[in-house]
Amino acid sequence: MIEVCPVCGNSDLYYEVGGYAGKVYHCKECGYMGAFVVEGNEEMVEKIREKYTREKEKGKE
């Protein structure tokens, strides 16, 4: 299982803050910041990445 960004599927995350309030992750790819990350296998991660790419391309039109 891999922890990835729920927006773009990137695994390059780092802790922005942590402690009593919990962890807040920051994605280096899309800039997402939040406590929620997805823990999934390669198939799930690929689906997240495909969706992100489709939405990103759709936004350019």
Side-chain angles (χ1 to χ4, degrees):
M1 298 301 255
I2 306 165
E3 285 187 341
V4 297
C5 172
V7 175
C8 69
N10 187 11
S11 63
D12 198 4
L13 303 167
Y14 64 93
Y15 298 124
E16 189 70 30
V17 293
Y20 293 111
K23 298 175 184 175
V24 175
Y25 297 92
H26 190 164
C27 176
K28 292 182 180 179
E29 175 73 23
C30 70
Y32 165 79
M33 285 181 60
F36 179 73
V37 292
V38 174
E39 191 173 284
N41 59 23
E42 285 294 327
E43 183 180 341
M44 181 184 236
V45 171
E46 187 59 35
K47 289 188 184 294
I48 294 170
R49 289 180 182 152
E50 288 172 3
K51 181 179 182 224
Y52 177 71
T53 302
R54 277 194 315 269
E55 290 177 357
K56 192 173 178 183
E57 291 298 319
K58 187 177 174 183
K60 289 182 180 178
E61 295 175 356

